[in-house]
Amino acid sequence: MKTQQLPPDLQPIIDFHGHLCPGLVLGYRAAKAGMQRIHAMRSEDEELVAIVENNSCAVDAIQFMTGCTFGKGNFFFRDFGKHVYTLALRPHGRGVRVSLKGDMFREEGRDERIEQILSMDEHELFDIQNVTVELPQHARIHESAPCSRCGEPVMETRIEKKDGKSYCIPCFNEL
Ligand SMILES: [Zn+2]
Ligand SMILES: [Zn+2]
């Protein structure tokens, strides 16, 4: 697919991800569909949270476009292997669930698939529903203590104990 045919707001996402691929374009469409609706229901003091149900190329577009990231604690991965993207608002959990309909990727080639995903109507591509979800808690900062085997500091909630000693998980697994 020729670069000049691409929507201009897709380019920074390609730069972020490192290449153009059908998965990324799918994430771009899903984020667009979700963001449009969430903007309408969002007020100033509500925090956006994204929940993704796969770890494909698509989730890079979701992170880039929503600003929700793994490090900020407002991006959650549920390993269900599904193209389902939920955007919700803290604290109440109201949001939108965008799920891929079954019958896409009819086109064979990679460029054809990209083109197809970009040109399809969003309601043809996705089921889009308003939902209320239970949101995971904010990430908390925990104290650390050194592992008695490797000496590296470990967050207290991840320390494993054996015979009165504290271990990090990799060391504990090798005991
Ligand atoms: Zn990719
Ligand atoms: Zn260790």
Side-chain angles (χ1 to χ4, degrees), residues 1 5 22 43 77 97 122 159-160 163:
M1 182 163 205
Q5 297 172 288
S43 71
F77 166 46
R97 181 181 192 270
E122 66 180 17
I159 286 173
E160 300 283 357
D163 303 328

Side-chain angles (χ1 to χ4, degrees), residues 17 19-21 23-24 57:
H17 180 58
H19 61 238
L20 172 63
C21 62
L24 191 72
C57 293

Side-chain angles (χ1 to χ4, degrees), residues 38 41-49 87-96 131-136 138:
I38 210 99
M41 56 176 96
R42 189 177 189 179
S43 71
E44 288 272 305
D45 54 343
E46 294 171 336
E47 188 198 6
L48 183 63
V49 169
L87 303 180
L89 297 166
R90 267 184 178 135
H92 48 70
R94 282 191 292 278
V96 58
V131 289
T132 301
V133 294
E134 195 129 343
L135 292 175
H138 272 285

Side-chain angles (χ1 to χ4, degrees), residues 58-118:
V59 305
D60 274 358
I62 306 289
Q63 291 189 83
F64 190 92
M65 291 170 77
T66 62
C68 297
T69 68
F70 188 59
K72 271 184 277 188
N74 54 9
F75 183 86
F76 299 95
F77 166 46
R78 293 185 182 153
D79 194 3
F80 298 157
K82 293 166 74 172
H83 278 294
V84 175
Y85 306 93
T86 303
L87 303 180
L89 297 166
R90 267 184 178 135
H92 48 70
R94 282 191 292 278
V96 58
R97 181 181 192 270
V98 180
S99 70
L100 179 68
K101 287 187 175 174
D103 61 349
M104 61 152 278
F105 292 156
R106 284 184 294 259
E107 304 290 341
E108 286 296 306
R110 172 193 160 94
D111 286 1
E112 287 73 24
R113 275 159 61 191
I114 290 169
E115 216 161 313
Q116 183 192 16
I117 296 163
L118 282 174

